[in-house]
């Protein structure tokens, strides 16, 4: 991603060398994204139809959370709006008032994305805010090829050591296989969990967040494709973690994220096998991780992106986005030959803010639950970061969503997860009470009708994918 973006933005003005090791390979997971991924394809000038065809991709309209509050419960974090604002207020106070007056409709009756998702429909229109599911390996090859076509020099080889400037401590060069040496001004560490430059060479250290997000293992296991791939990700809670299901065109990605304090690897694998809906394919891939981030994301002349910068579990599919946003910040503060302390500090501050707010959003899924297993009971007692505790209090009190600055997740995202996890506001905004009951019902009814009409006119997701393949080959 970094090589592709830099080559696109700078063209021949910047000399970019991409070092990868086939011996190590990539992490091999990372199949679900959020709508911001389309900013990347758009920046790179990649046609979405072509991208989906090349990466075995499907459409993602949201994430369905099953069994999270208790077994049998279900809700979706659907992308896109829910209802529409009226006067000075967003939609949800009106809906809350309808509910307080005994109304039976669900918040998700007013989400076009949700209604299309559960009907397995998609039509390519702008009104459906969407992301992609894809094969991460195919994406990496696609972007590598893209970068190489734009004069990025790709070198296959193993980085064995680095040389630091004796006075400044800046990285001067990296060394491959004891023989080759690459000098550069700026180094972007994309070496995955290893963080060979940011930590291996610059000893940045790691901030451990496992007290907030205790899961520390994952097993990934592909299965056969669904005949009608669902246009959404599924995240189903298990006794000590959760399981993902990501439908691609030619297979389904499955995995189990869990906490090793409460669940052994064999039992975790067995649970995954038992719950996989389609026929398992290939060998399971076991991964260990520690949730958290590097002390510095940018240190001296090294910027860490991706898993080298930190790890937040894939519950809301945010890691690939974090690579994108890191790149975008780097471009904003790109060094002109000089590395300015203020730029580096700002980069680190903004990146930390983004990490923290995503962390809060993830913790919210765990903390509000009524499940009986020991792991989930432990999650109810997580010592909340103040930024999250305030959000939960404000929403539980009067339905207000305290979104600060440009946090990644929007009000409507927080709203769905708060309500989905069973957090109910005590009171409703007084302005919502001024709309007379019959007008309120008429307003809600018209929102619903409009959505039903749109969804009924859509082809199925599978029909759209077939049409898309034909379009992209044409
Ligand atoms: C279980 C799990 C599920 C995930 N699911 C999602 C998801 O659904 N959505 C999402 O957005 N993200 C997800 N992620 C995160 C996502 O996989 C990563 O953010 C993404 O793949 C980027 O990884 P990376 O490039 O940082 O690291 P890697 O894929 O590990 O790549 C590291 C690269 O560095 C090279 N390298 C390493 N050491 C050396 C060396 N010494 N010499 C030369 N080259 C070297 C490797 O060859 C490789 O090319 C998930 C992660 C995990 C662990």
């Amino acid at each position: 991603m970094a090589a592709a973006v830099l080559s696109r933005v700078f063209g021949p003005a910047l000399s970019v060398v991409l070092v990868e090791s086939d011996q190590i390979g990539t992490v091999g997971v990372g199949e679900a994204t959020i709508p911001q991924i389309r900013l990347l394809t758009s920046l790179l000038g990649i046609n979405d139809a072509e991208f989906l065809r090349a990466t075995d991709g499907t459409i993602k309209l949201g994430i369905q959370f099953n069994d999270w509050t208790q077994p049998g419960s279900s809700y979706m974090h659907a992308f896109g709006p829910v209802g529409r604002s009226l006067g000075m207020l967003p939609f949800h106070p009106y809906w809350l008032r309808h509910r307080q007056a005994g109304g039976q409709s669900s918040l998700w009756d007013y989400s076009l994305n949700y209604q299309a998702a559960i009907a397995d429909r998609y039509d390519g229109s702008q009104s459906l805010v969407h992301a992609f599911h894809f094969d991460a390996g195919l994406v990496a090859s696609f972007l590598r090829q893209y970068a190489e076509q734009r004069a990025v020099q790709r070198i296959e080889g193993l980085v064995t050591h680095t040389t630091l400037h004796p006075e400044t401590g800046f990285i001067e060069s990296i060394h491959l296989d004891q023989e080759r040496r690459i000098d550069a001004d700026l180094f972007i560490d994309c070496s995955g969990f290893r963080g060979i430059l940011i930590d291996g060479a610059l000893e940045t250290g790691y901030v451990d967040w496992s007290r907030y997000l205790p899961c520390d293992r994952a097993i990934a296991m592909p299965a056969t494709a669904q005949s009608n791939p669902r246009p959404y990700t599924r995240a189903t809670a298990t006794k000590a973690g959760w399981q993902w299901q990501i439908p691609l065109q030619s297979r389904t990605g499955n995995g189990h994220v869990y906490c090793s304090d409460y669940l052994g690897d064999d039992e975790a694998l067995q649970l995954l096998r038992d719950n996989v809906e389609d026929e398992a394919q290939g060998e399971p891939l076991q991964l260990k991780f520690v949730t958290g981030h590097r002390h510095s994301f940018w240190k001296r002349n090294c910027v860490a992106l991706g898993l080298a910068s930190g790890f937040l579990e894939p519950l809301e599919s945010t890691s690939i986005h974090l690579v994108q946003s890191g790149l975008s910040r780097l471009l904003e503060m790109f060094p002109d030959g000089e590395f300015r302390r203020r730029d580096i500090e700002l980069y680190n501050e903004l990146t930390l803010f983004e990490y923290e707010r995503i962390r809060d959003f993830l913790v919210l899924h765990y903390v509000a639950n009524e499940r009986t297993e020991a792991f989930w009971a432990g999650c109810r007692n997580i010592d909340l970061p103040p930024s999250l505790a305030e959000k939960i209090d404000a929403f539980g009190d009067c339905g207000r969503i305290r979104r600060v600055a440009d946090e990644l997740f929007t009000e409507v995202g927080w709203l769905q997860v708060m309500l989905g996890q069973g957090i109910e506001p005590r009171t409703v905004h007084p302005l919502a009470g001024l709309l007379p009951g019959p007008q309120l019902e008429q307003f809600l009814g018209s929102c619903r009708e409009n959505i039903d009409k749109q969804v009924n006119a859509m082809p199925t997701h599978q029909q759209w994918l077939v049409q898309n393949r034909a379009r992209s080959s044409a």
Side-chain angles (χ1 to χ4, degrees):
M1 286 169 75
V5 166
L6 292 178
S7 63
R8 170 74 174 185
V9 172
F10 282 97
L14 191 75
S15 157
V16 181
V17 179
L18 167 65
V19 181
E20 291 177 296
S21 161
D22 284 340
Q23 194 183 321
I24 291 178
T26 58
V27 68
V29 279
E31 300 170 327
T33 58
I34 55 175
Q36 282 80 350
I37 187 72
R38 299 186 57 235
L39 298 174
L40 178 80
T41 51
S42 145
L43 172 74
L44 297 179
I46 297 168
N47 171 287
D48 283 353
E50 178 198 345
F51 186 65
L52 283 180
R53 193 165 65 105
T55 61
D56 200 25
T58 58
I59 295 296
K60 173 176 171 183
L61 298 175
I63 308 173
Q64 185 184 54
F65 293 94
N66 294 329
D67 303 339
W68 278 76
T69 50
Q70 52 188 297
S73 64
S74 181
Y75 70 94
M76 188 177 283
H77 171 193
F79 304 140
V82 174
R84 59 189 159 81
S85 56
L86 181 66
M88 310 239 342
L89 294 185
F91 176 78
H92 73 271
Y94 295 106
W95 174 78
L96 286 169
R97 174 155 164 252
H98 153 86
R99 263 245 310 236
Q100 284 187 347
Q104 295 297 312
S105 70
S106 140
L107 180 79
W108 288 270
D109 289 345
Y110 307 94
S111 158
L112 177 65
N113 268 54
Y114 175 80
Q115 294 298 332
I118 49 154
D120 286 343
R121 289 177 190 239
Y122 180 71
D123 67 354
S125 67
Q126 289 300 324
S127 44
L128 282 171
V129 178
H130 65 278
F132 304 128
H133 299 127
F134 49 48
D135 178 322
L138 294 178
V139 173
S141 327
F142 184 92
L143 293 178
R144 175 201 294 173
Q145 205 178 4
Y146 178 101
E148 283 183 309
Q149 282 162 359
R150 282 159 186 79
V152 167
Q153 186 195 359
R154 189 221 176 229
I155 296 179
E156 164 58 36
L158 192 71
V159 177
T160 51
H161 61 287
T162 47
T163 303
L164 303 186
H165 188 280
E167 279 151 31
T168 63
F170 277 42
I171 301 175
E172 281 188 335
S173 55
I174 55 173
H175 303 258
L176 310 184
D177 314 321
Q178 311 296 342
E179 289 159 16
R180 290 172 289 171
R181 164 192 172 126
I182 300 169
D183 290 63
D185 300 311
L186 172 69
F187 291 83
I188 304 184
D189 187 347
C190 302
S191 65
F193 286 128
R194 290 171 183 80
I196 54 173
L197 305 184
I198 196 75
D199 202 52
L202 300 184
E203 299 176 353
T204 310
Y206 196 77
V207 178
D208 182 337
W209 274 347
S210 43
R211 66 187 181 285
Y212 299 125
L213 290 163
C215 287
D216 58 354
R217 305 246 166 131
I219 308 175
M221 193 168 64
T224 49
Q226 298 168 349
S227 49
N228 290 306
R230 295 189 183 104
Y232 56 94
T233 304
R234 264 191 177 171
T236 305
T238 64
K239 68 187 273 192
W242 61 279
Q243 198 178 310
W244 77 75
Q245 186 196 56
I246 299 176
L248 306 185
Q249 293 186 42
S250 65
R251 66 173 170 81
T252 307
N254 294 282
H256 190 181
V257 173
Y258 58 99
C259 177
S260 61
D261 288 347
Y262 294 88
L263 196 63
D265 294 340
D266 292 344
E267 198 187 344
L269 177 59
Q270 193 53 49
L271 267 177
L272 177 61
R273 286 193 197 284
D274 293 346
N275 294 338
V276 165
E277 281 181 345
D278 314 285
E279 200 181 315
Q281 284 181 327
E283 285 305 302
L285 172 70
Q286 293 264 5
L287 296 144
K288 290 184 187 172
F289 56 82
V290 180
T291 294
H293 62 91
R294 301 283 174 211
H295 270 293
S296 301
F297 303 94
W298 180 343
K299 186 169 179 183
R300 298 177 197 151
N301 61 339
C302 174
V303 176
L305 290 176
L307 301 173
S309 68
F311 185 70
L312 290 167
E313 62 176 73
L315 189 55
E316 285 280 354
S317 322
T318 41
S319 289
I320 291 169
H321 165 76
L322 282 167
V323 178
Q324 266 178 261
S325 61
L327 271 168
S328 134
R329 270 189 291 274
L330 173 60
L331 285 174
E332 218 173 287
M333 298 169 208
F334 206 79
D336 54 4
E338 230 179 278
F339 288 85
R340 294 184 174 79
R341 185 179 47 79
R342 267 193 304 273
D343 287 346
I344 296 177
E345 280 172 5
L346 184 60
Y347 180 95
N348 285 325
E349 193 183 304
L350 296 176
T351 308
L352 180 61
F353 177 81
E354 188 172 35
Y355 258 79
E356 284 176 344
R357 297 307 158 124
I358 295 174
R359 172 205 65 196
D360 288 359
F361 196 55
L362 302 184
V363 174
L364 174 63
H365 296 68
Y366 283 97
V367 79
N369 81 79
E370 294 162 26
R371 294 186 60 113
T372 52
E373 299 94 334
F375 168 77
W376 291 97
C379 289
R380 285 196 287 277
N381 294 323
I382 290 171
D383 195 10
L384 295 184
S387 44
L388 174 60
E390 272 168 29
K391 270 209 174 69
I392 294 178
D393 284 351
F395 186 75
D397 186 25
C398 59
R400 260 194 275 292
I401 296 162
R402 284 173 54 101
R403 180 169 178 257
V404 181
D406 52 353
E407 282 181 16
L408 176 60
F409 289 103
T410 58
E411 282 84 352
V412 83
W414 283 96
L415 171 71
Q416 293 175 79
V417 178
M418 293 269 191
L419 286 169
Q421 293 293 142
I423 301 169
E424 293 281 338
R426 256 185 342 102
T427 62
V428 178
H429 196 293
L431 275 178
L434 298 184
L435 193 66
Q439 275 182 38
L440 174 67
E441 291 309 316
Q442 198 184 12
F443 166 62
L444 295 177
S446 80
C447 293
R448 260 202 323 259
E449 244 170 62
N450 190 17
I451 286 176
D452 291 348
K453 222 185 285 169
Q454 289 186 66
V455 172
N456 289 336
M458 290 177 188
T460 66
H461 178 220
Q462 174 63 10
Q463 283 164 342
W464 185 85
L465 286 171
V466 171
Q467 287 163 11
N468 184 63
R469 273 200 294 271
R471 258 195 309 275
S472 67
S473 33

